[in-house]
Amino acid sequence: MSIKEKLKGKSFLTLGDFSGAEIKFLLEEALDLKEKQKQGVPHPYLSGKTLGMIFEKSSTRTRVSFEVGMLQLGGHAIFLSSKDIQLGRGETVSDTAKVLGRYVDGLMVRTFAHDTIEEFSEAAGVPVINGLTDLHHPAQVLADLLTIVEHKGQLEGLKVCFLGDGNNNMAHSLLEGAVKVGMDIAIGCPAGYEPDQTILDQVNAEAAASGSKVLVTADPVEAVSEADVVITDVWASMGQESEQEARVEKLKSYQINSELCKHAKSDYIFLHCLPAHREEEVTGEILDGSHSVVFDEAENRLHAQKALMKALMSD
């Protein structure tokens, strides 16, 4: 069975569920779709298809990129806030998923608990795409990998460094994605902020087979040393606002700044999924500087997700 056939009808909940070959296939599709858009070549692969988009967490990039992506693919997207549907009034996730699956051709869900999206996937009967959960953010990391390919020309053999809260959806999806495509990855985080152990165990097992190196360290200099790609995220994600002050105090030595980045490779690139808090997890000098590719990265949400929707939802 070809990769194209394997992906058709599949849900996209974590990068850990996809092989390295499947991820690279999606990246090649994204590059092709991006070029078609640039050249003004119509690509209505999802003509007549509808994507339902359920948001329990607010969004800028996720909503706009999926909605515009469906439009460019010839389809239609429906925005569904949890406050506006029966899910917000006590209907079970399973019942909501079963009903919506009879109306739409795919669902994108942006929610808190990862169990919620797993339940959607089990009940919907159509592909379900993870737009973000507290545990994983695979659509963002797919765009990150696309951005790295564009700027570095390769993935295999590169070192990516994530600094900040290691028990973070970006860190988890980066861990999974990196080892799938042959990258080395270092997570720099303080004690008590390490990645989820179950995810880390799975990633370490895969790294042992693939040859990728995985490092989790409390030393930010060790983590960023000789990195080709430096990444961070906000220190207090949605739902953690009450912990803001404590997190700032604990994570301040992991700020991405020019002094720390002297230890990365001279041609490193900086990524951030945005929105960013300037002078908190990253200085404005880095975010707006010559190494930053954050707006290319943000644009690539559109192209990576179009490739994903085409692969999962097309006939």
Side-chain angles (χ1 to χ4, degrees), residues 34 140 143-144 146-148 150-151 270-272 274 292-303:
K34 187 172 184 176
Q140 176 65 57
D144 290 1
L146 178 61
T147 309
I148 295 167
E150 287 185 321
H151 284 271
F270 172 71
L271 300 177
H272 191 306
L274 303 179
S292 176
V293 294
V294 298
F295 296 107
D296 291 347
E297 175 191 10
E299 177 190 340
N300 279 336
R301 286 291 301 273
L302 172 65
H303 308 298

Side-chain angles (χ1 to χ4, degrees), residues 73-197:
L73 288 168
H76 181 68
I78 301 174
F79 172 78
L80 301 166
S81 165
S82 61
K83 298 175 182 178
D84 300 327
I85 60 177
Q86 297 301 324
L87 187 64
R89 297 178 60 200
E91 185 174 47
T92 66
V93 168
S94 179
D95 286 353
T96 298
K98 287 175 182 176
V99 170
L100 291 177
R102 296 191 179 208
Y103 297 147
V104 301
D105 302 284
L107 286 166
M108 188 285 297
V109 181
R110 184 176 170 94
T111 187
F112 291 89
H114 194 74
D115 289 350
T116 300
I117 202 165
E118 290 180 336
E119 191 173 350
F120 262 104
S121 181
E122 289 171 5
V126 295
V128 174
I129 298 170
N130 183 353
L132 176 144
T133 66
D134 288 342
L135 203 59
H136 295 277
H137 200 355
Q140 176 65 57
V141 171
L142 193 64
D144 290 1
L145 295 176
L146 178 61
T147 309
I148 295 167
V149 165
E150 287 185 321
H151 284 271
K152 292 294 183 181
Q154 66 185 83
L155 293 172
E156 194 168 355
L158 297 180
K159 177 183 175 180
V160 57
C161 164
F162 179 90
L163 290 176
D165 180 4
N167 190 17
N168 164 280
N169 50 22
M170 279 298 299
H172 293 151
S173 289
L174 281 166
L175 280 163
E176 292 183 333
V179 299
K180 292 283 185 179
V181 297
M183 300 176 76
D184 298 332
I185 181 165
I187 305 290
C189 60
Y193 288 77
E194 297 89 353
D196 177 89
Q197 192 60 49

